[in-house]
Amino acid sequence: MNEPILTMTGMSMEFPGVKALQHVDFELYPGEVHALMGENGAGKSTLMKILSGVYQPTSGSIRMHGEPVMFGNPLDAQLKGVSIIHQEFNLFPNLSAAENIYLDRPEMVGRFGQIKWSRMYEEAGKLIRSIGGDLDVRKEVQHLGVHSQQVIEIAKALSFKAEVLIMDEPSAALPENEVMKMFEVIRRLKEQRVCIVYVSHRMKEIFEIADKVTVLRDGKKVSTRRIDEVSENDLIRMMVGKEVGHLYPERSTVTDSATVLRVSDLSLDAKHSVSFDLKKGEILGLFGLVGSGTHTVAERLFGLRRGTGIIEINGQSITIRSPIEAKARKLAYVPPDRHRQGLIKPMSIRSNLSMTILPRLSSRFLIDSAGEKEISGSYMDKLKIKAPHDDQVVELLSGGNQQKVVLGKWLASEPELLILEEPTRGVDVGAKAEIYAIMSQLAQRGLSIILISSEMPEVIGMSDRILVMHKGEFVHEFDRGEATQESLLYRASHPRVHEKAESI
């Protein structure tokens, strides 16, 4: 009979004033992919931090192969067969793939301190090939793609004889065409009897790769089910405790509005430039695979990157050489990485929300505290930011609420044009629905939005028009209702086909 590799019983974790986990049971079996789902703040991260040795539980017990175990720290967990691959890889970019895999490992050092380079390269190559990888283990990590870096992280875990591998939002940094490669690696791991704990908000992936799913809500286990026993609506209902309704709001297509933005020959690099326009109240989707140029378009429009070309806002030709100039021209930009680019996490919600309008709130060297509090209270209400008060430190908020703070920070500047790049990355389904509703309301009020996202359902569901990019140029335009995921991915993978209006 198939026995569990690992059993967690009665897991509870309390922080001052917060019960993060309450009597959660969790079992893992050899060769299965076990999805762990729940809204941000449901307890997933806490449970995984206990499993990977970061936290010691307030109460509960863990057994591996029926024997009691205690993970005192992450290295202890690794040595006992449990490894975690974080959303942000833990690799040294200036070291080779082999060095990253065997860093600080005594078996790779000789009696007199010399490194056993031949053995290191040979063993690293074997590990990489065992999971279907094909890369030069002598090459520095900084010169490798995201999928190759993920393969290195997995090989590093396997070098510790991992029986349980936790993958935290493993597809977040991958373009759509690389996700299938990751699934092939996971299937090879299953053949080797490794158990994968797959933590993700992406429903499509859960149904594609998982065998079982466990849902947490408010620190408690709701259910563990076989994936073929549940539907997407079942999972959403378990996660949020209610019906979410339609994820993407119904919207009428923008047709005869005035043109707010017109871009002509905007240079992205020495060889490529783009031209397009944006109407008042329109949501314009930009979609492309990694390296297509969508991110560069955002940086050029917001003054983060210099170049040539003509930018017209409301018919007036302007120059944008910096974010300060972009903000003065009523542009706002929500960047793809809220942790590094969007927030100052040790600061409060209030301080983050008022950051873009401090000159307006300042008199000489003093900040109008009452005005700042009024602004933060207003946007906490408008965006439904869940926190006890606006003095709450941002790093303690859930991912969805952090994203709302980034959005609120820029809405406070009262923009006419909003660039949203990966607006729901790492955000649970309930918060996604709220963000989509906010976007729709903003567009209905006349705000023009450029949506850049690697999630095809999001681009299709929210955009009035979609411009597809391939290697620095627009190759196709879809009107609302025309695009499918298959056609979107096909266009993003191929150079221009002269079938659609040449105005782009």
Side-chain angles (χ1 to χ4, degrees):
M1 184 178 174
N2 198 18
E3 296 292 333
I5 296 176
L6 185 142
T7 303
M8 304 177 81
T9 306
M11 287 292 109
S12 296
M13 188 75 201
E14 294 187 20
F15 300 100
V18 178
K19 292 183 177 180
L21 281 179
Q22 299 179 59
H23 311 293
V24 172
D25 296 337
F26 192 55
E27 282 189 336
L28 300 171
Y29 286 81
E32 74 174 9
V33 178
H34 196 132
L36 182 62
M37 301 192 74
E39 292 193 276
N40 288 328
K44 305 187 303 296
S45 294
T46 302
L47 185 64
M48 292 301 96
K49 285 179 178 177
I50 291 172
L51 181 54
S52 59
V54 176
Y55 292 159
Q56 279 67 55
T58 305
S59 62
S61 62
I62 304 174
R63 290 178 176 268
M64 284 196 75
H65 302 291
E67 297 296 322
V69 292
M70 179 73 73
F71 302 139
N73 53 57
L75 180 59
D76 188 24
Q78 275 188 319
L79 294 174
K80 290 173 181 172
V82 180
S83 292
I84 184 167
I85 298 175
H86 296 282
Q87 183 176 335
E88 296 175 8
F89 301 146
N90 187 25
L91 298 172
F92 291 92
N94 60 331
L95 295 182
S96 69
E99 288 171 296
N100 271 279
I101 292 169
Y102 288 108
L103 187 69
D104 200 26
R105 305 288 277 278
E107 65 267 31
M108 293 299 168
V109 180
R111 285 177 57 193
F112 303 105
Q114 78 277 18
I115 297 173
K116 300 177 181 178
W117 291 108
S118 296
R119 181 184 172 189
M120 182 187 292
Y121 293 140
E122 182 182 355
E123 294 295 327
K126 284 180 183 177
L127 277 175
I128 295 289
R129 289 190 295 276
S130 75
I131 52 177
D134 181 19
L135 58 93
D136 183 356
V137 297
R138 293 173 170 79
K139 200 169 186 178
E140 290 184 358
V141 163
Q142 62 190 339
H143 300 306
L144 298 172
V146 178
H147 172 68
S148 294
Q149 292 181 28
Q150 191 175 65
V151 167
I152 294 166
E153 283 279 22
I154 293 170
K156 183 167 65 173
L158 294 180
S159 73
F160 283 97
K161 311 298 182 189
E163 294 182 89
V164 175
L165 183 61
I166 305 164
M167 301 183 78
D168 182 15
E169 295 288 350
S171 65
L174 294 177
E176 196 77 23
N177 58 326
E178 297 280 11
V179 174
M180 292 301 112
K181 294 180 184 178
M182 178 187 70
F183 285 170
E184 286 304 315
V185 172
I186 289 174
R187 291 184 181 107
R188 283 177 177 265
L189 292 171
K190 287 182 64 174
E191 291 171 2
Q192 297 174 31
R193 307 278 288 168
V194 177
C195 174
I196 311 290
V197 183
Y198 196 95
V199 185
S200 178
H201 293 302
R202 295 186 175 183
M203 290 283 183
K204 179 185 173 186
E205 294 175 13
I206 297 301
F207 285 95
E208 176 82 20
I209 198 66
D211 301 299
K212 289 181 185 173
V213 58
T214 291
V215 177
L216 301 182
R217 185 173 73 240
D218 298 329
K220 299 175 183 176
K221 176 177 165 180
V222 177
S223 182
T224 295
R225 306 275 291 276
R226 288 197 57 81
I227 201 68
D228 54 14
E229 298 174 350
V230 293
S231 67
E232 185 171 316
N233 285 337
D234 291 334
L235 288 182
I236 292 172
R237 195 160 44 245
M238 285 191 279
M239 287 167 63
V240 302
K242 61 182 180 182
E243 296 284 352
V244 172
H246 294 294
L247 191 59
Y248 304 107
E250 294 288 335
R251 298 183 60 248
S252 56
T253 302
V254 176
T255 54
D256 55 357
S257 295
T259 297
V260 172
L261 173 73
R262 176 165 283 120
V263 173
S264 303
D265 299 320
L266 187 76
S267 63
L268 305 184
D269 55 34
K271 296 180 180 178
H272 301 101
S273 62
V274 294
S275 301
F276 65 96
D277 56 44
L278 176 67
K279 295 177 183 293
K280 185 178 178 66
E282 181 182 30
I283 299 179
L284 175 65
L286 301 188
F287 179 79
L289 305 179
V290 169
S292 65
T294 55
H295 176 65
T296 307
V297 171
E299 289 190 327
R300 283 285 286 109
L301 287 174
F302 202 63
L304 290 164
R305 190 181 293 215
R306 298 283 186 91
T308 59
I310 299 171
I311 300 174
E312 295 178 45
I313 294 182
N314 295 322
Q316 180 183 359
S317 182
I318 62 169
T319 301
I320 298 176
R321 291 164 296 197
S322 69
I324 293 174
E325 289 186 354
K327 188 163 77 75
R329 299 294 185 176
K330 295 293 185 179
L331 270 72
Y333 175 41
V334 174
D337 187 341
R338 62 177 173 268
H339 301 293
R340 291 196 177 108
Q341 301 164 307
L343 297 167
I344 301 179
K345 293 197 291 183
M347 290 174 62
S348 68
I349 296 171
R350 186 194 313 157
S351 297
N352 274 277
L353 284 172
S354 63
M355 198 172 299
T356 62
I357 55 168
L358 281 179
R360 198 168 86 203
L361 293 171
S362 302
S363 175
R364 294 193 178 185
F365 302 109
L366 298 176
I367 294 174
D368 177 3
S369 298
E372 186 183 32
K373 194 166 183 64
E374 183 181 348
I375 289 288
S376 65
S378 171
Y379 281 98
M380 285 184 73
D381 288 340
K382 288 176 182 176
L383 304 180
K384 299 179 182 177
I385 297 170
K386 296 171 186 174
H389 45 70
D390 65 358
D391 282 330
Q392 176 77 54
V393 175
V394 163
E395 64 187 345
L396 298 180
L397 298 178
S398 69
N401 284 304
Q402 288 182 353
Q403 191 70 2
K404 290 178 188 177
V405 172
V406 183
L407 182 57
K409 175 183 80 172
W410 283 108
L411 292 180
S413 69
E414 300 177 351
E416 294 181 8
L417 194 158
L418 176 63
I419 305 166
L420 294 173
E421 189 168 2
E422 305 293 351
T424 63
R425 175 176 284 171
V427 167
D428 63 68
V429 68
K432 276 188 177 185
E434 291 178 346
I435 290 171
Y436 295 150
I438 292 165
M439 289 171 61
S440 182
Q441 291 162 12
L442 292 170
Q444 287 172 1
R445 292 173 194 160
L447 183 65
S448 302
I449 298 174
I450 296 176
L451 169 63
I452 302 171
S453 175
S454 59
E455 292 197 32
M456 290 190 289
E458 180 170 278
V459 175
I460 293 169
M462 290 303 300
S463 303
D464 296 305
R465 281 186 301 140
I466 302 170
L467 299 181
V468 185
M469 291 195 76
H470 176 81
K471 294 185 178 179
E473 68 171 349
F474 290 127
V475 294
H476 199 77
E477 177 182 341
F478 290 103
D479 291 326
R480 175 180 279 278
E482 289 184 346
T484 63
Q485 292 191 47
E486 291 76 15
S487 62
L488 205 57
L489 187 57
Y490 175 82
R491 295 295 183 182
S493 307
H494 292 77
R496 177 185 291 275
V497 178
H498 296 278
E499 293 178 359
K500 190 69 180 178
E502 293 297 319
S503 60
I504 64 169

